[in-house]
Amino acid sequence: MGGIIWVIIVGFIAGILARLISPGNNNPSGFILTTILGIAGAFLATLVGQAIGHYGPDQGAGFITATIGAIVVLFIWNRLVASGMIRDFNR
């Protein structure tokens, strides 16, 4: 349970940092959506890290890895918006 809370907290911070690092026209607007995508990035980094054996089953991603995961999720989001697969909330 503590691992999940850690991933959420780190994902929250990583999402905000990832948005600051990768600004652009198609970034998700709003605090909540950015936070959710950051948390998704932290979970992605945790799953990948556990799959390759970098983290144990009860460990979450670190701050740097979660930020990289959040950047990857934001990049995927931007590509989906650019291709028209999902709607941009800014417009």
Side-chain angles (χ1 to χ4, degrees), residues 46-55:
T46 298
L47 290 174
V48 170
Q50 289 175 351
I52 63 173
H54 188 66
Y55 303 120

Side-chain angles (χ1 to χ4, degrees), residues 12-58:
F12 168 75
I13 296 168
I16 293 171
L17 184 62
R19 180 147 191 234
L20 293 174
I21 290 172
S22 61
N25 293 335
N26 292 328
N27 273 336
S29 66
F31 180 74
I32 293 174
L33 187 57
T34 300
T35 302
I36 290 171
L37 292 176
I39 292 170
F43 274 107
L44 174 71
T46 298
L47 290 174
V48 170
Q50 289 175 351
I52 63 173
H54 188 66
Y55 303 120
D58 59 340

